[in-house]
Amino acid sequence: MRVAWLFLVLAITTEVAGLTAMKAASASGSYAGHAIMYASIALSYVFLAKAVKTISVGVAYAIWEGSGVALITIVSVFVFGHALSGREMLGLSMAVAGILLVNAGEVEQEEAAGEAAR
């Protein structure tokens, strides 16, 4: 199970790297940046596919997408100088709260399954 979560973390990390490269490439017009973006996003899907072999697809996708949105927003603020509005901050906070709730539900289901197996 831990390996599946590692694959999910790798999927999130490579997605954020790909989107960061996309933003940098769009500013500079670099073809190398676009190549990095395509490779990173493709690799992200490979890692996500490996994660969903163990983690339910709904939970994995929600965490992957929500965490990716939160992290890319943080990158855009600190790397690219984007200023967040109050609504954007509220939306990001709600996304993080949703991720925590989905993750808590998955952990609870795993614990219940472990107790039932005993």
Side-chain angles (χ1 to χ4, degrees):
M1 185 61 144
R2 288 185 180 183
V3 173
W5 287 102
L6 174 64
F7 280 129
L8 186 56
V9 168
L10 289 170
I12 293 164
T13 304
T14 53
E15 177 195 26
V16 171
L19 293 174
T20 302
M22 177 184 67
K23 173 65 175 170
S26 70
S28 68
S30 166
Y31 289 114
H34 285 97
I36 292 169
M37 174 197 68
Y38 290 127
S40 295
I41 291 175
L43 190 56
S44 177
Y45 277 99
V46 169
F47 288 138
L48 182 62
K50 290 187 176 289
V52 299
K53 288 181 178 179
T54 305
I55 303 168
S56 67
V57 70
V59 170
Y61 183 77
I63 293 171
W64 175 71
E65 193 62 37
S67 298
V69 167
L71 291 172
I72 199 63
T73 301
I74 291 168
V75 168
S76 70
V77 167
F78 290 106
V79 175
F80 299 113
H82 178 76
L84 291 177
S85 69
R87 286 182 181 174
E88 288 171 321
M89 284 188 250
L90 176 62
L92 188 57
S93 300
M94 291 173 73
V96 170
I99 292 165
L100 293 174
L101 289 171
V102 166
N103 194 19
E106 177 75 3
V107 169
E108 188 175 299
Q109 288 176 356
E110 288 173 8
E111 289 172 357
E115 289 177 12
R118 291 180 193 165

